[in-house]
Amino acid sequence: MIAWLREELKVRKWDRKAQLIRASFSEDIHRAHVARDWDKRNDLSFNADFEASQYEDEAAEIRSNRLVRRARRLSLPIPSRQGNSAHWCQSQTLGTWALTDVGFAELRRAVRLEEKERRDVWLTLGGMLVSILSLVVAIIALLKP
């Protein structure tokens, strides 16, 4: 629980930093757009994307690793990391690997389905146990004079 909270705070920190970087560049980009200085606008946009992507890539890696750990605990197959995979992409700035939107959605769907199936088994057993205990209590109540 503590590790999850630490990771979540780190992800939010990286997301916040990326937003602040994009916000700091947005006014200059807007001024260049109004002045119709397309080269400066494109340079500023590229710089904003590059600097923000460093933090966004860190956050994506943490989210991906967290989901992969959940899938491994459930013994689910993990998509392989390949250069041309639709499930993984490698960061251009840091070289780290993160799940793509498609890969993240598919793996999260598989994790949720497996967790639901395991939970349903326990709910069924719990319902049966309550029924049996109710029957035992009813029989004991009938046998008392």
Side-chain angles (χ1 to χ4, degrees), residues 75-133:
S75 300
L76 293 174
I78 309 297
S80 63
R81 295 180 185 183
Q82 296 174 348
N84 57 358
S85 174
H87 295 94
W88 290 94
C89 64
Q90 190 172 15
S91 166
Q92 298 296 321
T93 55
L94 302 174
T96 58
W97 288 89
L99 287 165
T100 62
D101 292 338
V102 171
F104 195 87
E106 287 180 10
L107 192 56
R108 184 177 56 202
R109 188 177 307 114
V111 165
R112 286 180 176 173
L113 182 63
E114 182 66 24
E115 286 174 344
K116 182 182 182 299
E117 288 176 0
R118 290 182 182 201
R119 188 174 45 248
D120 288 346
V121 168
W122 285 107
L123 288 175
T124 303
L125 290 174
M128 288 174 39
L129 181 64
V130 168
S131 298
I132 291 171
L133 288 175

Side-chain angles (χ1 to χ4, degrees), residues 2-145:
I2 301 282
W4 178 86
L5 183 60
R6 192 176 305 133
E7 283 180 345
E8 187 62 27
L9 290 174
K10 192 180 286 187
V11 165
R12 289 179 187 214
K13 176 182 169 185
W14 296 144
D15 285 341
R16 215 172 21 257
K17 283 189 176 189
Q19 288 173 351
L20 288 173
I21 287 171
R22 290 189 188 281
S24 69
F25 276 92
S26 67
E27 188 176 326
D28 293 335
I29 291 171
H30 179 68
R31 267 194 243 118
H33 181 74
V34 169
R36 296 185 187 271
D37 188 357
W38 305 121
D39 290 335
K40 184 176 180 181
R41 181 190 173 278
N42 290 339
D43 286 342
L44 288 169
S45 294
F46 176 77
N47 288 337
D49 288 341
F50 178 75
E51 289 184 26
S53 72
Q54 294 174 353
Y55 296 109
E56 291 167 347
D57 291 345
E58 283 282 339
E61 181 188 19
I62 292 171
R63 286 185 184 106
S64 297
N65 289 339
R66 185 186 309 158
L67 184 61
V68 166
R69 278 195 310 271
R70 280 178 64 191
R72 283 194 177 123
R73 272 193 301 259
L74 297 170
S75 300
L76 293 174
I78 309 297
S80 63
R81 295 180 185 183
Q82 296 174 348
N84 57 358
S85 174
H87 295 94
W88 290 94
C89 64
Q90 190 172 15
S91 166
Q92 298 296 321
T93 55
L94 302 174
T96 58
W97 288 89
L99 287 165
T100 62
D101 292 338
V102 171
F104 195 87
E106 287 180 10
L107 192 56
R108 184 177 56 202
R109 188 177 307 114
V111 165
R112 286 180 176 173
L113 182 63
E114 182 66 24
E115 286 174 344
K116 182 182 182 299
E117 288 176 0
R118 290 182 182 201
R119 188 174 45 248
D120 288 346
V121 168
W122 285 107
L123 288 175
T124 303
L125 290 174
M128 288 174 39
L129 181 64
V130 168
S131 298
I132 291 171
L133 288 175
S134 299
L135 181 64
V136 169
V137 169
I139 290 173
I140 291 173
L142 288 174
L143 293 177
K144 278 194 170 181

